Amino acid sequence: MERRVGEQYRITSKEIDQYDDQGYLVLKNVLTEKELKSIDPIFDHFVAGNESEKMGKDFCDMSQPYGTPIEDFQLVNAMLPGKYIPSFSKNIFYRIAKNIADQLYSNGKAAMDYEQFLAKKPTKAEAEFSMHQDLGYWPKTKNTWTATFSLALSDADVINGCLYLIPGSNKETELRSHRPKEYGTATNEAVNRDDSHTLIIESKPNDKIIHLPVKRGDVTIHDERIVHGSGGNLSPDWRKTYIIAFRDERTIAEERAIGFTHSHNDEVDWNSIIK
Ligand SMILES: O=C(O)CCC(=O)C(=O)O
């Protein structure tokens, strides 16, 4: 089977079954080098902080508290790039990911919920994305279906902090308990989601974690319940990834109705949504 036909990337029924059962997929060579090169300059523009003044908390370090000076960032996070540069919206990654999301989801209409750039600076052992389930970050909705696509803009492996996950953890009946990440404040004041967006779950002794090494142009896809995270970057190079999450369009409407847009600038009553 030819995978790429125009802007379609065909997946097999076996892959759809794996996604449903195990909660993740790895797809090789999804974007061509030419297509990746059309994304690189925008990605680098954001990661360098060029839009930071208008972005507020949407430009932050996901491994450190809000307010960390930009020069001290380790895990650079830029939320919703298409909101800040609208001409970037509906780019080639979006279009191909949408095509794949439509193949993965037959119960309704998949639409983009949010997008995010993540870049781990070289030699930053603490540029970790703490272990979590995405649903732990989000408000309760009737339908939780999600496919979160992560496009590798650089090769990624264990050394530079690629994605890791626990296959099948998406089938656990209860969401694991999440707590805000603490940063050892001198006052030991309780941290909350307004100080630190990042949530953490503890691993369990029987957890079987696997890493998902990828090459530039590959895509990983994970669902909303799978337990996952990523380690620090011990390499001399950046790890760069571009994330787009698709959800049912009715789920997105439910989120927006309570003012939840995945912007870190949203004013959300976190206590009402943490499960
Ligand atoms: O790619 C990473 O480092 C982590 C991304 C992640 O946790 C997510 O997209 O939910």
Side-chain angles (χ1 to χ4, degrees):
M1 177 181 77
E2 209 177 327
R3 288 286 216 177
R4 271 293 298 271
V5 179
E7 292 191 355
Q8 295 175 20
Y9 185 101
R10 294 181 180 155
I11 56 172
T12 63
S13 54
K14 211 170 144 198
E15 286 169 331
I16 296 172
D17 290 347
Q18 185 199 312
Y19 187 72
D20 291 340
D21 293 345
Q22 300 287 301
Y24 77 101
L25 265 187
V26 181
L27 301 175
K28 299 280 174 201
N29 299 315
V30 177
L31 263 69
T32 64
E33 187 54 34
K34 191 173 169 209
E35 291 164 345
L36 294 164
K37 284 208 166 83
S38 71
I39 292 172
D40 291 333
I42 307 285
F43 186 96
D44 291 340
H45 171 84
F46 274 93
V47 168
N50 290 307
E51 299 294 323
S52 62
E53 278 188 17
K54 31 177 167 150
M55 293 178 75
K57 288 178 172 175
D58 281 340
F59 185 71
C60 64
D61 180 333
M62 289 291 288
S63 65
Q64 302 192 75
Y66 291 127
T68 299
I70 292 180
E71 57 277 15
D72 295 339
F73 278 17
Q74 307 173 134
L75 172 46
V76 185
N77 178 52
M79 294 303 297
L80 309 176
K83 171 178 166 179
Y84 297 103
I85 300 191
S87 60
F88 182 63
S89 303
K90 308 259 160 95
N91 61 64
I92 184 66
F93 176 42
Y94 163 82
R95 297 195 298 275
I96 294 175
K98 169 82 170 82
N99 170 255
I100 299 169
D102 288 341
Q103 296 172 69
L104 282 175
Y105 189 51
S106 48
N107 292 340
K109 277 201 181 144
M112 185 177 97
D113 189 10
Y114 70 93
E115 58 179 342
Q116 180 174 9
F117 290 157
L118 274 188
K120 295 185 181 182
K121 282 189 182 167
T123 64
K124 297 290 180 196
E126 287 172 16
E128 293 178 354
F129 210 112
S130 306
M131 188 187 258
H132 64 282
Q133 291 162 295
D134 291 342
L135 209 47
Y137 276 85
W138 301 336
K140 248 185 194 140
T141 49
K142 289 188 204 88
N143 177 343
T144 66
W145 182 86
T146 309
T148 299
F149 290 67
S150 183
L151 168 66
L153 292 173
S154 59
D155 294 355
D157 56 19
V158 177
I159 306 292
N160 71 2
C162 69
L163 191 67
Y164 65 74
L165 49 74
I166 303 175
S169 53
N170 56 312
K171 294 291 185 206
E172 291 175 6
T173 48
E174 296 287 326
L175 207 61
R176 297 193 187 185
S177 162
H178 288 69
R179 63 175 168 81
K181 183 170 177 177
E182 291 165 46
Y183 297 98
T185 55
T187 54
N188 279 335
E189 283 168 17
V191 278
N192 64 55
R193 293 288 297 279
D194 294 321
D195 302 326
S196 159
H197 188 82
T198 303
L199 297 175
I200 298 190
I201 54 183
E202 305 300 338
S203 61
K204 297 181 181 171
N206 291 334
D207 281 344
K208 291 206 168 49
I209 291 173
I210 64 162
H211 287 83
L212 302 183
V214 280
K215 295 286 182 202
R216 175 169 157 89
D218 295 349
V219 165
T220 62
I221 314 174
H222 65 266
D223 83 0
E224 71 279 15
R225 300 191 75 96
I226 196 158
V227 174
H228 67 285
S230 63
N233 184 0
L234 303 178
S235 84
D237 302 308
W238 287 80
R239 177 197 162 217
K240 301 179 181 181
T241 194
Y242 174 13
I243 294 163
I244 300 185
F246 288 84
R247 308 194 81 193
D248 188 295
E249 59 182 18
R250 288 161 300 188
T251 307
I252 298 171
E254 263 182 83
E255 288 180 335
R256 300 298 182 269
I258 58 160
F260 186 84
T261 70
H262 295 267
S263 166
H264 291 200
N265 300 313
D266 286 346
E267 297 217 347
V268 179
D269 177 2
W270 295 111
N271 291 327
S272 73
I273 68 165
I274 291 175
K275 294 160 275 277

